[in-house]
Amino acid sequence: MTAGPSQQPAERAHVVILMACHNGAEHLAAQLDSFLAQDHPDWSLIVSDDGSSDGTLHILQAFARAHPDRKVTLLPGPCTGAGANFMSLFCRAPGLAPPGSFLALSDQDDVWLPHRLSRGIGALMPLAGRPGAWCSRTLITAPDLTRPRPSLPRPRPLGFRNALVQNVMAGNTILLNPAAAGLACHLATQTAEVVVHDWWLYLILTGTGATVIHDDQPSLYYRQHDRNEIGANDSQMARLVRLKMLLAGRFRGWNRINLAALAPARPHLTAENAALLDLFGRLTTGGLSSRLAALWQARLYRQTRASTVVMWLAVVFRLF
């Protein structure tokens, strides 16, 4: 996917929405309607469906017929989970998206606020031809979109030192400018496995020196229900579950996957971040003093002090 013109006016920027679907009929129509309500009207839609057995495909086909002015492309998914489905979209987007397009990621059950695209485009336009990504907080809601509450803020800067140990880019809010989209699509074709697609994006973008902007203003309603692939992590219980996963050694497996996924990106990493990646690799090898020295030198951090302390404990007890 080529970057194309680097300084087109914001109102003329074309956005390709990448949506991964699987049995999303219950809430899909509301999400599609929110696309139509965007105050930035220049968008098209590529959907990869993971073998839905409900009315998902019927809803998508009806939407495409009802809006012939929109380019809607329906693709079969790999049927191996949402992360793999999004990665397949990155691999196939270059042959379907117009050159110079922005890429916006979409879940099937959210509802976008009208400024979701325009606010992100406006934030990224000053970067011109340099890679950049935008993401935001969300409004977490009940299944019927009631009782909205803002997702957690990001009190510490977004960067590679954070990305190596924590994913804080909400995938359903991500917008990539053409340069970042080209990088992601290129590296996706060389990546065999990811933990989740948005964490992979956070790693490769910050690692290669791209600008990542986190907007404190929510851009969508994030509907919570019993079929969420991951779900929100703003409650005390959700945070405890994630900390238990860290202490149980789950992150050790995730770290191995992330290190392998970063291998194709290594030629694109900044010199500082390539050295940082080498330090990160030492956290799971050697004696205690060596691991602690590497962690101290790397200056890795999570978004809260409490979870950063837990990260240190995980390294001490070889759970990382």
Side-chain angles (χ1 to χ4, degrees):
M1 183 172 179
T2 58
S6 61
Q7 299 193 45
Q8 58 183 319
E11 63 274 10
R12 292 177 53 194
H14 181 73
V15 181
V16 176
I17 301 170
L18 302 182
M19 175 187 277
C21 282
H22 176 67
N23 289 340
E26 183 177 3
H27 303 300
L28 180 57
Q31 175 69 312
L32 295 172
D33 286 343
S34 74
F35 297 165
L36 297 172
Q38 291 298 295
D39 56 22
H40 181 83
D42 192 355
W43 55 265
S44 57
L45 174 64
I46 302 175
V47 183
S48 180
D49 181 74
D50 259 350
S52 291
S53 57
D54 61 359
T56 294
L57 286 177
H58 174 75
I59 292 170
L60 291 166
Q61 290 162 353
F63 180 81
R65 288 193 301 270
H67 303 283
D69 56 320
R70 302 290 180 184
K71 183 180 179 183
V72 179
T73 304
L74 305 182
L75 303 171
C79 297
T80 51
N85 202 358
F86 273 109
M87 294 299 286
S88 78
L89 279 164
F90 286 125
C91 291
R92 292 177 286 179
L96 299 168
S101 296
F102 286 69
L103 292 183
L105 306 192
S106 172
D107 288 350
Q108 63 188 1
D109 47 8
D110 299 328
V111 171
W112 287 7
L113 296 173
H115 63 258
R116 157 76 159 95
L117 294 180
S118 62
R119 190 169 174 88
I121 293 169
L124 293 173
M125 289 305 292
L127 297 178
R130 290 175 287 129
W134 176 92
C135 58
S136 77
R137 296 174 76 178
T138 65
L139 292 171
I140 301 167
T141 75
D144 60 356
L145 300 183
T146 59
R147 304 191 302 276
R149 64 185 188 275
S151 61
L152 294 172
R154 306 304 185 200
R156 306 193 70 179
L158 272 62
F160 197 53
R161 296 179 191 278
N162 179 221
L164 283 168
V165 293
Q166 186 178 22
N167 177 28
V168 299
M169 285 185 75
N172 53 350
T173 71
I174 290 175
L175 179 71
L176 306 177
N177 72 0
L183 176 67
C185 291
H186 170 68
L187 291 177
T189 63
Q190 304 174 39
T191 305
E193 183 184 10
V194 297
V195 178
V196 285
H197 62 285
D198 46 5
W199 196 356
W200 172 78
L201 280 172
Y202 187 27
L203 286 163
I204 65 165
L205 291 170
T206 56
T208 57
T211 299
V212 176
I213 300 168
H214 184 269
D215 194 334
D216 201 50
Q217 179 172 325
S219 65
L220 55 84
Y221 291 108
Y222 183 17
R223 198 192 304 261
Q224 299 297 291
H225 51 79
D226 58 6
R227 294 186 305 281
N228 284 115
E229 185 78 13
I230 296 178
N233 67 342
D234 65 322
S235 70
Q236 187 66 29
M237 180 59 68
R239 288 195 289 272
L240 286 174
V241 167
R242 281 165 169 75
L243 290 178
K244 284 178 65 177
M245 289 166 60
L246 178 62
L247 290 176
R250 178 77 64 87
F251 272 58
R252 186 164 48 209
W254 289 350
N255 290 337
R256 285 196 293 268
I257 294 172
N258 282 339
L259 283 169
L262 278 167
R266 190 174 184 94
H268 304 272
L269 297 181
T270 66
E272 178 184 0
N273 287 335
L276 183 59
L277 184 61
D278 291 337
L279 278 175
F280 183 77
R282 288 168 47 192
L283 297 182
T284 58
T285 61
L288 176 60
S289 60
S290 174
R291 298 197 309 275
L292 291 179
L295 183 57
W296 178 263
Q297 188 176 352
R299 303 196 310 279
L300 305 176
Y301 61 89
R302 291 170 62 86
Q303 287 293 312
T304 66
R305 288 176 179 161
S307 61
T308 299
V309 168
V310 172
M311 176 191 71
W312 275 79
L313 291 174
V315 171
V316 168
F317 293 105
R318 287 191 179 275
L319 299 173
F320 198 75

